[in-house]
Amino acid sequence: MKDQAVTAGQDFGGDFDRDFRPHRVAVLALDGLLPFELGIPHRIFGRPRDAEGRLLYEVVTCSARPPGPVETDADFTIHVPHGPEALETAATVIVPASYELGPVYEEGRLTDELTAAFARIRPGTRLASICTGVYVLAAAGRLDGRPATTHWADAERFQRMFPRIKVDADVLFIDDGDVLTSAGVAAGIDLCLHMVRRDHGTAVANDVARRTVVPPHRDGGQAQYIHRPVPDPQLATTTAARAWALGRLHEPIQLRDMAEQEAMSVRTFTRRFREEVGVSPGQWLTQQRVERARHLLESTDLSVDQVARDAGFGTAQSMRQHLQQALGVTPTAYRRTFRTGVAGAV
């Protein structure tokens, strides 16, 4: 029996300057929601602050109906203090997972209630989903012709129901600009940290990750681990090789050099690395170098050429190509965005 009640999504009470407006995030709570997924946006977006200590986001929980109780998949309900009108002022709307989506899950169509709620969302609002919340975005027609992901166990069914969506079941999350989707459970943390990083840079996102005691960055293209065989704990891992490589990202690193750190053949090392990390050694090195470059661009006045050398890209042109591919911006544009305002916030 659902005999407990908690209140979610209270407005922050901080005083903001007349010229300062925190980014408003609305979390859409639907019956059958998973409490863990509901709490992710509040935990991640509720922490970032600018250099003056002001909260960078305002997070509110809303329902598709008037304020009141919303059922969870646990033995308690939550009281949601906002109705669908909260969607009208949101800059980002996040739909967490739910196990009771009714016709959304069974037939791929929105209920009248959800249709009316989505009609309140302003054009240009950023949309995101965690796990099966993607069904809501799909049923609303917001993913047609676009890439998306969801929990690996639901991906095949999701693709059959929405054939116009380009489903990728092998990634943690997908950023398609104004629409983002994630795999299940912890991948929602990765997605929300990614949005903070995209909005305010690596330093702010890393501070949130430290306070939340989670890894600061797992790339969206990293595989959902459930598809991978679990490595035998009795066998050697690739941990030492990764630590060795991180200490010398500025140097040329060959695959055989990493394999030698674990006394493995290149073939065995490559297989073990992919089993443990989910990507190839080369892909992992590129990810680490991109992160190193981002950190240097945000936190130092080094020239682009020097950042490229220190991050291990060798030349500014090589770094430019990798950042453009990973982030969609040039090194100069990235620095201009994240060296202003909140880049040094903690």
Side-chain angles (χ1 to χ4, degrees):
M1 180 177 179
K2 298 180 185 293
D3 54 1
Q4 303 177 52
V6 296
T7 300
Q10 299 298 320
D11 287 336
F12 290 114
D15 293 327
F16 298 106
D17 290 347
R18 182 174 300 175
D19 297 331
F20 178 82
R21 295 176 64 88
H23 183 111
R24 188 174 175 89
V25 178
V27 185
L28 184 57
L30 304 175
D31 282 324
L33 63 84
L34 282 66
F36 182 88
E37 277 85 340
L38 177 69
I40 289 172
H42 291 271
R43 178 68 189 185
I44 301 302
F45 293 107
R47 295 297 181 271
R49 296 176 180 269
D50 67 7
E52 284 72 47
R54 299 172 299 192
L55 289 165
L56 294 171
Y57 299 91
E58 177 189 20
V59 189
V60 297
T61 303
C62 66
S63 174
R65 55 180 180 260
V70 171
E71 301 290 319
T72 74
D73 77 329
D75 63 341
F76 57 84
T77 63
I78 62 170
H79 178 81
V80 176
H82 302 283
E85 68 281 353
L87 299 172
E88 298 173 1
T89 56
T92 294
V93 173
I94 300 177
V95 185
S98 170
Y99 283 157
E100 296 179 17
L101 292 175
V104 176
Y105 186 81
E106 299 298 332
E107 305 170 33
R109 65 174 180 84
L110 294 183
T111 62
D112 292 343
E113 189 175 71
L114 276 173
T115 298
F118 264 73
R120 293 174 176 264
I121 299 175
R122 297 174 298 176
T125 299
R126 181 168 62 182
L127 303 177
S129 65
I130 299 175
C131 196
T132 58
V134 73
Y135 277 86
V136 178
L137 299 187
R142 303 302 180 95
L143 292 173
D144 288 350
R146 308 182 74 159
T149 191
T150 187
H151 193 288
W152 65 270
D154 224 57
E156 185 176 343
R157 181 185 187 280
F158 181 71
Q159 182 68 90
R160 287 197 308 270
M161 179 167 286
F162 301 102
R164 296 180 61 186
I165 298 173
K166 304 169 185 176
V167 180
D168 187 346
D170 292 325
V171 296
L172 296 177
F173 62 83
I174 290 177
D175 180 345
D176 196 39
D178 60 340
V179 179
L180 302 92
T181 55
S182 78
V185 196
I189 299 175
D190 298 304
L191 176 66
C192 291
L193 282 173
H194 169 76
M195 286 192 280
V196 172
R197 186 178 299 108
R198 199 178 89 171
D199 293 345
H200 299 293
T202 301
V204 174
N206 285 357
D207 182 67
V208 175
R210 284 193 296 270
R211 294 175 184 275
T212 313
V213 197
V214 297
H217 179 68
R218 291 198 299 168
D219 186 76
Q222 184 170 323
Q224 293 187 35
Y225 286 119
I226 193 67
H227 283 304
R228 303 289 173 186
V230 178
D232 186 339
Q234 301 303 315
L235 300 177
T237 73
T238 60
T239 303
R242 294 199 298 276
W244 176 86
L246 287 173
R248 45 186 50 78
L249 287 177
H250 59 288
E251 302 175 3
I253 299 175
Q254 302 296 324
L255 181 56
R256 64 175 179 274
D257 298 329
M258 295 183 69
E260 286 176 358
Q261 304 308 309
E262 305 290 359
M264 295 181 188
S265 68
V266 169
R267 181 177 179 180
T268 299
F269 177 81
T270 300
R271 175 175 56 81
R272 295 289 301 166
F273 194 100
R274 187 177 287 277
E275 287 175 352
E276 294 175 15
V277 182
V279 295
S280 71
Q283 291 171 316
W284 179 83
L285 274 173
T286 297
Q287 291 171 3
Q288 305 312 309
R289 283 174 166 149
V290 166
E291 287 303 301
R292 172 71 172 163
R294 292 170 70 163
H295 172 72
L296 293 173
L297 289 169
E298 291 180 26
S299 61
T300 75
D301 293 317
L302 295 174
S303 69
V304 171
D305 287 332
Q306 186 61 56
V307 170
R309 288 192 293 271
D310 287 357
F313 288 114
T315 67
Q317 178 61 26
S318 176
M319 182 175 73
R320 187 174 297 110
Q321 291 174 348
H322 282 95
L323 260 67
Q324 188 74 46
Q325 182 177 7
L327 308 176
V329 296
T330 65
T332 301
Y334 185 86
R335 169 172 274 169
R336 184 166 56 245
T337 299
F338 293 117
R339 283 300 299 277
T340 60
V342 300
V346 296

Short mmCIF file of all heavy atoms in Angstrom, two decimals, residues 17-54:
data_model
loop_
_atom_site.label_atom_id
_atom_site.label_comp_id
_atom_site.label_asym_id
_atom_site.label_seq_id
_atom_site.Cartn_x
_atom_site.Cartn_y
_atom_site.Cartn_z
N ASP A 17 19.71 38.52 -9.09
CA ASP A 17 19.75 39.86 -9.62
C ASP A 17 18.68 40.04 -10.68
O ASP A 17 18.26 39.09 -11.33
CB ASP A 17 21.13 40.13 -10.26
CG ASP A 17 22.22 40.23 -9.22
OD1 ASP A 17 21.89 40.35 -8.04
OD2 ASP A 17 23.40 40.17 -9.62
N ARG A 18 18.30 41.28 -10.87
CA ARG A 18 17.28 41.58 -11.87
C ARG A 18 17.74 41.14 -13.25
O ARG A 18 16.95 40.72 -14.08
CB ARG A 18 16.98 43.08 -11.85
CG ARG A 18 15.89 43.51 -12.81
CD ARG A 18 15.56 44.98 -12.62
NE ARG A 18 15.09 45.25 -11.26
CZ ARG A 18 14.84 46.47 -10.80
NH1 ARG A 18 15.04 47.53 -11.57
NH2 ARG A 18 14.41 46.63 -9.56
N ASP A 19 19.06 41.23 -13.52
CA ASP A 19 19.60 40.86 -14.83
C ASP A 19 19.98 39.39 -14.92
O ASP A 19 20.45 38.94 -15.95
CB ASP A 19 20.83 41.72 -15.15
CG ASP A 19 20.47 43.20 -15.26
OD1 ASP A 19 19.32 43.49 -15.63
OD2 ASP A 19 21.36 44.04 -14.98
N PHE A 20 19.84 38.66 -13.84
CA PHE A 20 20.25 37.25 -13.82
C PHE A 20 19.03 36.35 -13.76
O PHE A 20 18.16 36.50 -12.90
CB PHE A 20 21.14 36.97 -12.61
CG PHE A 20 21.57 35.53 -12.50
CD1 PHE A 20 22.64 35.06 -13.23
CD2 PHE A 20 20.89 34.65 -11.67
CE1 PHE A 20 23.04 33.73 -13.14
CE2 PHE A 20 21.28 33.32 -11.57
CZ PHE A 20 22.36 32.87 -12.32
N ARG A 21 18.96 35.43 -14.71
CA ARG A 21 17.85 34.48 -14.75
C ARG A 21 18.40 33.07 -14.84
O ARG A 21 19.05 32.74 -15.84
CB ARG A 21 16.93 34.76 -15.94
CG ARG A 21 16.21 36.10 -15.88
CD ARG A 21 15.40 36.33 -17.15
NE ARG A 21 14.34 35.35 -17.29
CZ ARG A 21 13.12 35.51 -16.77
NH1 ARG A 21 12.83 36.61 -16.08
NH2 ARG A 21 12.19 34.60 -16.93
N PRO A 22 18.20 32.25 -13.82
CA PRO A 22 18.69 30.87 -13.92
C PRO A 22 17.94 30.11 -15.00
O PRO A 22 16.79 30.42 -15.32
CB PRO A 22 18.38 30.30 -12.53
CG PRO A 22 17.25 31.13 -12.02
CD PRO A 22 17.48 32.52 -12.57
N HIS A 23 18.61 29.15 -15.57
CA HIS A 23 18.03 28.29 -16.60
C HIS A 23 16.97 27.41 -15.95
O HIS A 23 17.26 26.64 -15.04
CB HIS A 23 19.15 27.44 -17.22
CG HIS A 23 18.72 26.56 -18.33
ND1 HIS A 23 19.12 26.78 -19.64
CD2 HIS A 23 17.95 25.44 -18.36
CE1 HIS A 23 18.61 25.84 -20.41
NE2 HIS A 23 17.90 25.01 -19.66
N ARG A 24 15.75 27.51 -16.39
CA ARG A 24 14.64 26.78 -15.75
C ARG A 24 14.48 25.39 -16.36
O ARG A 24 14.26 25.24 -17.56
CB ARG A 24 13.34 27.57 -15.90
CG ARG A 24 12.16 27.01 -15.10
CD ARG A 24 10.97 27.97 -15.22
NE ARG A 24 9.78 27.47 -14.58
CZ ARG A 24 9.45 27.68 -13.31
NH1 ARG A 24 10.25 28.38 -12.54
NH2 ARG A 24 8.31 27.21 -12.80
N VAL A 25 14.59 24.39 -15.52
CA VAL A 25 14.44 22.99 -15.92
C VAL A 25 13.14 22.45 -15.33
O VAL A 25 12.95 22.47 -14.11
CB VAL A 25 15.62 22.13 -15.43
CG1 VAL A 25 15.42 20.67 -15.81
CG2 VAL A 25 16.94 22.65 -15.99
N ALA A 26 12.25 21.97 -16.19
CA ALA A 26 11.01 21.35 -15.74
C ALA A 26 11.11 19.85 -15.91
O ALA A 26 11.42 19.36 -17.00
CB ALA A 26 9.82 21.89 -16.52
N VAL A 27 10.87 19.11 -14.84
CA VAL A 27 10.91 17.65 -14.87
C VAL A 27 9.47 17.15 -14.87
O VAL A 27 8.72 17.41 -13.92
CB VAL A 27 11.68 17.10 -13.66
CG1 VAL A 27 11.82 15.58 -13.78
CG2 VAL A 27 13.06 17.76 -13.56
N LEU A 28 9.09 16.46 -15.92
CA LEU A 28 7.71 16.01 -16.09
C LEU A 28 7.50 14.67 -15.40
O LEU A 28 8.01 13.64 -15.85
CB LEU A 28 7.36 15.91 -17.58
CG LEU A 28 5.91 15.56 -17.93
CD1 LEU A 28 4.93 16.55 -17.32
CD2 LEU A 28 5.75 15.48 -19.45
N ALA A 29 6.76 14.67 -14.31
CA ALA A 29 6.53 13.46 -13.51
C ALA A 29 5.25 12.78 -13.98
O ALA A 29 4.17 13.37 -13.93
CB ALA A 29 6.43 13.82 -12.03
N LEU A 30 5.36 11.53 -14.41
CA LEU A 30 4.22 10.76 -14.89
C LEU A 30 3.98 9.56 -13.99
O LEU A 30 4.92 9.03 -13.38
CB LEU A 30 4.49 10.28 -16.33
CG LEU A 30 4.81 11.39 -17.34
CD1 LEU A 30 5.18 10.78 -18.69
CD2 LEU A 30 3.64 12.36 -17.49
N ASP A 31 2.74 9.11 -13.90
CA ASP A 31 2.42 7.96 -13.06
C ASP A 31 3.30 6.76 -13.43
O ASP A 31 3.57 6.51 -14.60
CB ASP A 31 0.95 7.58 -13.21
CG ASP A 31 0.03 8.49 -12.42
OD1 ASP A 31 0.43 8.92 -11.32
OD2 ASP A 31 -1.07 8.79 -12.91
N GLY A 32 3.72 6.03 -12.39
CA GLY A 32 4.58 4.87 -12.61
C GLY A 32 6.05 5.23 -12.71
O GLY A 32 6.88 4.39 -13.05
N LEU A 33 6.39 6.50 -12.40
CA LEU A 33 7.77 6.94 -12.55
C LEU A 33 8.69 6.21 -11.59
O LEU A 33 8.27 5.71 -10.54
CB LEU A 33 7.87 8.45 -12.35
CG LEU A 33 7.51 9.05 -10.99
CD1 LEU A 33 8.67 8.99 -10.01
CD2 LEU A 33 7.05 10.49 -11.16
N LEU A 34 9.96 6.18 -11.96
CA LEU A 34 10.98 5.57 -11.11
C LEU A 34 11.61 6.68 -10.26
O LEU A 34 12.16 7.64 -10.82
CB LEU A 34 12.05 4.89 -11.97
CG LEU A 34 11.71 3.52 -12.56
CD1 LEU A 34 10.59 3.61 -13.57
CD2 LEU A 34 12.94 2.90 -13.22
N PRO A 35 11.53 6.60 -8.95
CA PRO A 35 12.03 7.68 -8.10
C PRO A 35 13.49 8.03 -8.35
O PRO A 35 13.87 9.21 -8.28
CB PRO A 35 11.82 7.13 -6.68
CG PRO A 35 10.66 6.18 -6.82
CD PRO A 35 10.86 5.54 -8.16
N PHE A 36 14.32 7.02 -8.63
CA PHE A 36 15.74 7.31 -8.86
C PHE A 36 15.92 8.24 -10.06
O PHE A 36 16.62 9.25 -9.98
CB PHE A 36 16.50 6.00 -9.11
CG PHE A 36 17.98 6.19 -9.31
CD1 PHE A 36 18.85 6.22 -8.23
CD2 PHE A 36 18.51 6.34 -10.59
CE1 PHE A 36 20.22 6.40 -8.43
CE2 PHE A 36 19.86 6.53 -10.78
CZ PHE A 36 20.73 6.56 -9.71
N GLU A 37 15.25 7.90 -11.18
CA GLU A 37 15.37 8.73 -12.37
C GLU A 37 14.78 10.12 -12.15
O GLU A 37 15.30 11.11 -12.65
CB GLU A 37 14.68 8.05 -13.56
CG GLU A 37 15.53 7.01 -14.27
CD GLU A 37 15.43 5.64 -13.61
OE1 GLU A 37 15.04 5.57 -12.42
OE2 GLU A 37 15.72 4.64 -14.27
N LEU A 38 13.70 10.21 -11.38
CA LEU A 38 13.11 11.52 -11.09
C LEU A 38 14.09 12.40 -10.34
O LEU A 38 14.15 13.62 -10.56
CB LEU A 38 11.83 11.35 -10.26
CG LEU A 38 11.16 12.65 -9.82
CD1 LEU A 38 10.56 13.38 -11.02
CD2 LEU A 38 10.09 12.38 -8.77
N GLY A 39 14.87 11.79 -9.45
CA GLY A 39 15.79 12.58 -8.63
C GLY A 39 17.04 13.04 -9.34
O GLY A 39 17.70 13.98 -8.88
N ILE A 40 17.39 12.40 -10.46
CA ILE A 40 18.65 12.74 -11.14
C ILE A 40 18.72 14.21 -11.55
O ILE A 40 19.70 14.89 -11.24
CB ILE A 40 18.87 11.81 -12.35
CG1 ILE A 40 19.20 10.39 -11.88
CG2 ILE A 40 19.99 12.34 -13.25
CD1 ILE A 40 19.23 9.36 -13.01
N PRO A 41 17.72 14.74 -12.28
CA PRO A 41 17.83 16.15 -12.68
C PRO A 41 17.95 17.10 -11.50
O PRO A 41 18.69 18.10 -11.56
CB PRO A 41 16.54 16.39 -13.47
CG PRO A 41 16.12 15.04 -13.95
CD PRO A 41 16.51 14.11 -12.83
N HIS A 42 17.23 16.81 -10.41
CA HIS A 42 17.31 17.69 -9.25
C HIS A 42 18.70 17.64 -8.62
O HIS A 42 19.22 18.67 -8.19
CB HIS A 42 16.25 17.28 -8.22
CG HIS A 42 14.85 17.56 -8.68
ND1 HIS A 42 14.22 18.76 -8.45
CD2 HIS A 42 13.98 16.80 -9.39
CE1 HIS A 42 13.00 18.72 -9.00
NE2 HIS A 42 12.84 17.55 -9.57
N ARG A 43 19.28 16.48 -8.57
CA ARG A 43 20.61 16.34 -7.98
C ARG A 43 21.67 17.04 -8.84
O ARG A 43 22.52 17.77 -8.31
CB ARG A 43 20.96 14.86 -7.83
CG ARG A 43 22.35 14.61 -7.27
CD ARG A 43 22.46 15.03 -5.82
NE ARG A 43 23.82 14.97 -5.34
CZ ARG A 43 24.19 15.18 -4.10
NH1 ARG A 43 23.28 15.45 -3.18
NH2 ARG A 43 25.46 15.14 -3.74
N ILE A 44 21.63 16.83 -10.15
CA ILE A 44 22.67 17.37 -11.02
C ILE A 44 22.47 18.86 -11.29
O ILE A 44 23.40 19.67 -11.13
CB ILE A 44 22.72 16.60 -12.35
CG1 ILE A 44 22.98 15.11 -12.09
CG2 ILE A 44 23.79 17.19 -13.26
CD1 ILE A 44 24.26 14.80 -11.35
N PHE A 45 21.27 19.27 -11.68
CA PHE A 45 21.04 20.67 -12.01
C PHE A 45 20.84 21.55 -10.76
O PHE A 45 20.90 22.77 -10.86
CB PHE A 45 19.83 20.81 -12.93
CG PHE A 45 20.04 20.23 -14.30
CD1 PHE A 45 19.41 19.05 -14.67
CD2 PHE A 45 20.88 20.84 -15.21
CE1 PHE A 45 19.61 18.50 -15.92
CE2 PHE A 45 21.08 20.30 -16.46
CZ PHE A 45 20.45 19.12 -16.83
N GLY A 46 20.62 20.91 -9.63
CA GLY A 46 20.41 21.69 -8.41
C GLY A 46 21.69 22.12 -7.73
O GLY A 46 21.64 22.80 -6.71
N ARG A 47 22.86 21.75 -8.28
CA ARG A 47 24.13 22.06 -7.63
C ARG A 47 24.93 23.19 -8.28
O ARG A 47 25.60 23.94 -7.58
CB ARG A 47 25.01 20.79 -7.59
CG ARG A 47 24.46 19.67 -6.73
CD ARG A 47 24.36 20.08 -5.28
NE ARG A 47 23.84 19.02 -4.42
CZ ARG A 47 22.57 18.82 -4.16
NH1 ARG A 47 21.66 19.59 -4.73
NH2 ARG A 47 22.18 17.86 -3.35
N PRO A 48 24.95 23.33 -9.61
CA PRO A 48 25.88 24.31 -10.22
C PRO A 48 25.60 25.76 -9.79
O PRO A 48 24.44 26.19 -9.76
CB PRO A 48 25.63 24.13 -11.73
CG PRO A 48 25.04 22.76 -11.86
CD PRO A 48 24.22 22.57 -10.63
N ARG A 49 26.66 26.47 -9.51
CA ARG A 49 26.57 27.88 -9.15
C ARG A 49 27.60 28.67 -9.95
O ARG A 49 28.61 28.12 -10.40
CB ARG A 49 26.83 28.09 -7.65
CG ARG A 49 25.78 27.44 -6.75
CD ARG A 49 26.15 27.60 -5.29
NE ARG A 49 25.16 26.98 -4.41
CZ ARG A 49 24.10 27.60 -3.91
NH1 ARG A 49 23.92 28.90 -4.17
NH2 ARG A 49 23.25 26.98 -3.13
N ASP A 50 27.35 29.97 -10.12
CA ASP A 50 28.31 30.80 -10.82
C ASP A 50 29.32 31.36 -9.83
O ASP A 50 29.32 31.00 -8.64
CB ASP A 50 27.60 31.90 -11.61
CG ASP A 50 26.91 32.93 -10.71
OD1 ASP A 50 27.09 32.88 -9.47
OD2 ASP A 50 26.20 33.80 -11.26
N ALA A 51 30.20 32.22 -10.31
CA ALA A 51 31.28 32.75 -9.47
C ALA A 51 30.75 33.56 -8.29
O ALA A 51 31.44 33.73 -7.28
CB ALA A 51 32.22 33.61 -10.31
N GLU A 52 29.52 34.09 -8.40
CA GLU A 52 28.91 34.85 -7.30
C GLU A 52 28.11 33.96 -6.36
O GLU A 52 27.46 34.45 -5.44
CB GLU A 52 27.99 35.95 -7.86
CG GLU A 52 28.73 37.15 -8.43
CD GLU A 52 29.43 36.83 -9.73
OE1 GLU A 52 28.78 36.22 -10.61
OE2 GLU A 52 30.61 37.15 -9.86
N GLY A 53 28.12 32.64 -6.62
CA GLY A 53 27.41 31.72 -5.75
C GLY A 53 25.94 31.55 -6.08
O GLY A 53 25.20 30.91 -5.33
N ARG A 54 25.48 32.11 -7.20
CA ARG A 54 24.07 32.00 -7.58
C ARG A 54 23.81 30.69 -8.32
O ARG A 54 24.63 30.25 -9.15
CB ARG A 54 23.67 33.18 -8.48
CG ARG A 54 23.82 34.53 -7.81
CD ARG A 54 23.59 35.67 -8.79
NE ARG A 54 24.57 35.65 -9.87
CZ ARG A 54 24.74 36.67 -10.72
NH1 ARG A 54 24.00 37.76 -10.60
NH2 ARG A 54 25.64 36.58 -11.67
#
